[in-house]
Structure formats: C-alpha cells, structure tokens
Amino acid sequence: MSAAPPPDVVTYFEPPPAPAELPARLASPFDPSPPHPLARRAAEELQQLLHRGDTAAGFDPRVLEAPGGGKMFGVLVVATKDGRIGYLRGFSGMLDGRWHVDGFAPPLFDPVARDTFWPEGQEELRALALRHASSRDRVEVEHLRAERSRQLWRRLTDSYVLPNARGEQQSLTSLFEPDAPPGGAGDCAAPKLFAWAYAHHLRPLALAEFWWGAPPLNAERRAGEYYPACQSKCGKVLPYMLEGLAVEPAPPGTVHELRRVFEDAWLLIVDKPHGLPSAPSRHAPRRDSALVRLQQESSAALRVVHELDTEASGLLLLAKDPETHAALRRQLARREADLRHVAWLEGTVSGDHGIIELPLRPTGDEGLRQHIDTTHGKHAVTEWRVTQRTGTRTRVSLLPRTRLVHQLRAHAAHPLGLAAPIVGDAVYGHADARLLLHAEALSFTHPRTGERLDFESRPPF
C-alpha cells in the first residue's frame, strides 16, 4: 500500500462528509452548472483563507486586489485509498510571481530545468528585437527571431508532462501536434490539480474553479463566482488528463472548441465552430463569442480582421495591435489576401465558374429583398467555382472580393446570382441542422515579417 500523501497536500474535511454526500461521478470541467456541494464547501474554505491572508507564508493577498491582479483558483475534492475525503488547492499561472507555493498544486513542468534555458532564450529574443529595430535587413532578422521563438516555445512545451488516470503521460507538444500549443496551456488550475491528485494516488471526485481579486483588464470576472474550464487552453488538455475516469459529459451546446491554428506576437488564427459568433454585438459587448473567449486568455487587445457569420465555421483571423489589424484589412481590401469558403448549395448551378456583382445594402434586416439593392446598394463582388455536383445539390468554392453582411449567402440565393441558397440558410433558403458554409483557406502576407502565409481548414461537411 502506498504511503499517505504529505500533510501539506490534502486538506481534509472536518467533519468528514457522509457517503451519501459524495458525487456519483465527476462532473465535466466544461459544465457551466454550479459546482457539487462538496466542491463549493472546499472553495468557500479557500476563499476564507484568501480573505484573511492565511494561504501561504510570505504571500500578501493584497496583490490580488491591484488592477488586473485577480486570479483563477481551483479546488479538487479527492478520496484517499483508505477512504478519507479532502481537497487539493490550486491557482492558474503564477501566484505573487511564484510557480511553487506551499499547499498548492505545483506546475506541470520542472521550474529548475526551465531556468536552464528559458531566461537565456528570452534574452536572445530581446537582443534580436533591438537588432531588428536598427537593422537595414529587417526581414532577415525577423525571420531569425521568429524561428528562434518557435524553437524556444517548443522546448518549453516539451517540458510539460501531462498524466492521465490510466497512468499514461504525454508532453504538451505532442498533445497539440501538428499545431503549437497556445500560450498558457497547462498552466490553469484544473490541469495542475488533476496531475497532483494522480501523483499522490488520489481519486478525483469534484472540481470547482472560481475567480478571486480584481477583475481582469480585458474580460468580466467577479470575485467568488464559479467558471467552467476554458476551451482555448484546456479544450484538449483536460479531456486527455481525464481519460480513465468516469466523467459526466458536458451538456449539449456548452462545448464549442476554438482550435488555434497559428499564433505569434502580432496575430492569431483560430478555427471557429459554427454556432459561435465571431465577435459580440455593440449592444451586448460581453456576449459569448470567439473574440470574448480569446480576450479572456490573452493580454493583447485582440481585434477581428474579418468576421464570419455565427452560423458559419472556419478560419478566423485576429490582430494583436492596431497597426497589424490595419495592415491586414488593407490587404483584404486590395485583394492581396484571400479567404476562400466552401459551401453546399440547395439546387443545381448553371456553369462551372464566374463572378457575381450584385450591390448589397449592409443592413441587419432579414429577407433577401432587403439585402439586394441594385440602385442604392454597396458594390459587392464574389468569385465562384463549382467543385462537385449531386442530384440535388452543388458544392462550390466562394471567394469574396468585397466583405459585406451576408454577401456570400445573398449572392448564392439571388436569381441574378447562383439562384441556389446555401444549405441550412434560414434567412435566404430553408433551415437545416447547420449552415453548410465554411472558411477553408486563408492566404496573406505577414505585415511584420513579409512572409507569405497559407492556412487551410478541412470543412466538417
């Protein structure tokens, strides 16, 4: 029989809970429902410690009250091999500048090993940045800096060890391949807590994650409120780490994974699922959307370069600063960048390829006639090509040369366009399980490095 966990690992409930109070199965970390009563009890005990400043020696809880200084904390209710019930405590990222804090779950990497290469690598990148500012051959220097940054990031993510309940292990790098892991993946409270439980042969029973301290500068978080695990960082990490455990599935519609395709210091490309807006509306700035979710995980002031319809899926490009945003928008306007869509149309299409030029009124009104306006509408151009035909449907590639609201949908459905609405288009055709429109290819010149970049996303239909 393995030794009991050290006394600073598990905080045992006093009085201990009755067997009837234990959860039958672990709830999905992505479930937005209130946490299990035992997890809430553990979280409230930790919140009392945070309020009193009794969490760890040398930690001043006032740092959490500084502007943007708040943090996600987590508790994981566990059972020992001899049946005792307690909980583990964790925090996201660093706490008061420290990865290791007594009584809290440690990081998934070895900080000592990290210090052998990370500071030196960061210093090299800073030197390259200074060289870039004064160099005549900025493109070459930027290529060198980007390559060194990728190498350093891979070495860092290689050092993260992710265990699961089966006793298997995988590095953060291998879990996300062929993509690079997003920044902060593996540093949230939940992955640390599950890894700590497995290391001490503890059985996870219930999880709760809550915010404590001042709200973040770029998102809404309230002290003491509970939040589900984030998709952008934990969407791949937690499902792997929970393999081997009996876990309740997340409620339908709660998991819309944003897959990160590419990220560097200036821009971000994600694969957006259908049903998730690209950005919130003016009247609901905190509405759930790709932009709001990504802003919660980023220190940059992200801006969407081109929006996709809520019902559409595919590649979404965002910029991390105003200059990059403006440069990418100019490329799209000048047709120096391309965003190709694929769609299934309801009906047959005459011809194999062509160009549609039908002016549109860029309004939010529903209805085909309210969008096509040959007298007062704005210039709108779409290139198209047939790629497949069936008895009743036509598959096409669509390349918008202008970008107005519902342009592709209106051009497909209008009698002067393709006269065949996109399958699942409830506005211009007939509702179905989903709108069969997907942004499948993106090509542009990197505004900072000058490199031509091409990305593809396999359509889910």
Side-chain angles (χ1 to χ4, degrees), residues 176 178-185 230-234 236 257-264 267-272 290 293-299 302 315-316 318 320 455:
F176 279 86
D179 303 317
C230 64
Q231 281 291 328
S232 58
K233 295 181 182 180
C234 294
K236 282 190 175 182
E257 181 180 356
L258 275 170
R259 183 176 68 87
R260 295 191 183 221
V261 176
F262 176 84
E263 183 174 11
D264 63 13
L267 55 88
L268 170 63
I269 301 171
V270 297
D271 202 339
K272 185 188 85 69
R293 291 187 185 186
L294 293 167
Q295 282 178 332
Q296 291 172 356
E297 312 299 334
S298 174
S299 59
L302 294 172
L315 297 172
L316 182 67
L318 303 98
K320 294 186 176 182
F455 301 94

Side-chain angles (χ1 to χ4, degrees), residues 68 174 185-186 225 228 241 250 314 420 436 458 460:
S174 62
E225 290 197 2
M241 295 186 74
L436 297 190
R458 185 187 300 274

Side-chain angles (χ1 to χ4, degrees), residues 311 366 409 422-432 435:
E311 299 90 344
E366 293 189 357
R409 297 163 68 172
I422 298 174
V423 173
D425 193 336
V427 176
Y428 304 115
H430 303 284
D432 207 323
L435 180 74

Side-chain angles (χ1 to χ4, degrees), residues 55 82 129 202 228 235 240 292 324 372:
T55 50
D82 60 4
L202 302 168
Y240 171 77
V292 168
T324 301
I372 302 297

Side-chain angles (χ1 to χ4, degrees), residues 256 273-276 310-313 344 346 393 422-426 429-437 460-461:
H256 291 284
H274 80 279
L276 182 68
T310 297
E311 299 90 344
S313 56
W344 275 105
E346 195 68 70
R393 292 181 176 181
I422 298 174
V423 173
D425 193 336
H430 303 284
D432 207 323
R434 66 154 291 181
L435 180 74
L436 297 190
L437 177 65
F461 50 78

Side-chain angles (χ1 to χ4, degrees), residues 41-199:
R41 176 179 165 184
E44 290 174 352
E45 288 187 8
L46 176 54
Q47 290 168 13
Q48 291 173 9
L49 293 176
L50 289 168
H51 183 71
R52 296 197 305 263
D54 294 338
T55 50
F59 169 62
D60 184 352
R62 288 177 295 183
V63 301
L64 298 173
E65 302 302 329
K71 185 165 290 294
M72 286 294 292
F73 288 83
V75 291
L76 181 64
V77 179
V78 294
T80 65
K81 285 195 171 183
D82 60 4
R84 298 182 69 190
I85 306 299
Y87 62 92
L88 311 179
R89 304 182 302 182
F91 54 82
S92 64
M94 303 174 76
L95 185 58
D96 197 19
R98 290 182 285 172
W99 289 106
H100 274 285
V101 175
D102 289 344
F104 287 86
L108 298 181
F109 60 88
D110 182 352
V112 175
R114 173 178 175 148
D115 286 345
T116 63
F117 68 88
W118 186 252
E120 181 182 348
Q122 290 292 293
E123 185 59 36
E124 182 181 352
L125 291 178
R126 282 190 288 270
L128 286 171
L130 292 174
R131 178 180 165 189
H132 174 267
S134 59
S135 174
R136 294 182 178 179
D137 194 356
R138 294 188 176 185
V139 173
E140 180 181 349
V141 175
E142 191 52 52
H143 275 295
L144 179 61
R145 184 168 180 260
E147 180 59 28
R148 181 65 183 117
S149 179
R150 282 192 289 267
Q151 293 172 354
L152 187 62
W153 182 245
R154 182 181 180 100
R155 188 170 179 184
L156 178 66
T157 57
D158 280 344
S159 69
Y160 280 71
V161 178
L162 308 178
N164 64 21
R166 294 198 184 103
E168 303 164 339
Q169 292 185 344
Q170 190 170 170
S171 73
L172 193 63
T173 304
S174 62
L175 184 65
F176 279 86
E177 282 182 334
D179 303 317
D187 290 331
C188 295
K192 295 181 185 181
L193 289 166
F194 284 108
W196 216 28
Y198 300 150

Side-chain angles (χ1 to χ4, degrees), residues 5 32 80 85 146 194 212 247 294 296 329 349 351 355 359 363-364 403:
T80 65
I85 306 299
F194 284 108
W212 195 259
V247 183
L294 293 167
Q296 291 172 356
R329 295 276 292 182
V349 173
I355 298 176
T363 70
R403 300 181 184 281

Side-chain angles (χ1 to χ4, degrees), residues 375-387:
T375 303
H376 302 100
K378 288 189 176 182
H379 186 59
V381 180
T382 302
E383 296 182 22
W384 61 274
R385 180 175 296 275
V386 173
T387 59

